[in-house]
Amino acid sequence: MTDGMTAAAVLLIVGPVAGAVALSNPVLFRVWTAPRDEHLALVRAHHGVWVAINAGLFSATVVTAAGLAVLAGAIDADAAPRAVLAGAAVVYAIAGALWCAVLAIRSRTTPVLAEMVAAGIPTQPGETLLGAAIGGLFAAFTLATGVALLTIGLTLALSGGVAAPVAWLATLIAAVAIAGFLASGDTIPAVLYLPTLLVGLALLLGWS
């Protein structure tokens, strides 16, 4: 395996792992499923952890995007698959920028809302408008990322960049994420890091 492919593999693994490490702090496990008031109370009580989680996910997205860019440039494939991978990497990076915007916004605004609620200060209609704006960014991120990952998985499966079972599994996960979001209007962001993690592991282990 070339140095470029090794670098791509490491980046595609380190990105999701960074996100997983950020999410592993047990003090905020409940924050994702708790009702609104409890959610805000948890963030208020653990402000630093909340910022660290968002920073970790930010880093995971940037590193993964870099890994896809390196992969597109280093993979041993014909010009057409390389061009498709490069285009998908660009789409992933654009979608990742939207996700990073969501992370930056909520890392600052959620603690502010928590303090306002604790002080008895009304948060409407600003909270609803903020939620709608974040929801729009998240929807665009989810769908664009899903399409990029679906394209990457299919391209790798058809071009032989990684072992076909791994590429098809990555494709399936991306397709399920898209379908799930279209059906429910929501998804677990961590799922969108699985396809690139699988590709990175396959590259590092030489499964081609």
Side-chain angles (χ1 to χ4, degrees):
M1 185 165 59
T2 65
D3 291 344
M5 291 295 281
T6 301
V10 171
L11 290 170
L12 293 175
I13 294 170
V14 169
V17 169
V21 170
L23 291 169
S24 65
N25 195 315
V27 301
L28 283 185
F29 279 169
R30 278 271 300 151
V31 78
W32 311 111
T33 58
R36 177 255 191 187
D37 287 348
E38 184 181 350
H39 172 88
L40 292 175
L42 284 168
V43 171
R44 182 171 183 265
H46 306 285
H47 183 183
V49 177
W50 176 250
V51 173
I53 287 174
N54 286 284
L57 293 174
F58 188 105
S59 299
T61 303
V62 172
V63 172
T64 301
L68 291 175
V70 174
L71 175 63
I75 193 168
D76 183 16
D78 294 337
R82 287 165 64 96
V84 172
L85 288 174
V90 171
V91 173
Y92 185 95
I94 293 172
L98 299 177
W99 177 228
C100 288
V102 170
L103 296 170
I105 291 169
R106 76 181 188 185
S107 69
R108 295 294 301 271
T109 59
T110 305
V112 172
L113 289 172
E115 293 294 342
M116 291 175 68
V117 170
I121 301 172
T123 61
Q124 294 296 347
E127 185 176 354
T128 297
L129 293 173
L130 177 64
I134 290 177
L137 290 172
F138 182 76
F141 149 71
T142 301
L143 293 175
T145 299
V147 170
L149 293 174
L150 186 68
T151 302
I152 290 166
L154 284 172
T155 303
L156 291 175
L158 297 174
S159 69
V162 298
V166 175
W168 284 116
L169 179 57
T171 303
L172 177 62
I173 293 172
V176 169
I178 294 172
F181 182 81
L182 291 175
S184 67
D186 197 8
T187 192
I188 301 173
V191 172
L192 296 172
Y193 292 98
L194 291 178
T196 50
L197 175 61
L198 289 173
V199 170
L201 288 171
L203 291 174
L204 194 63
L205 295 173
W207 295 346
S208 60

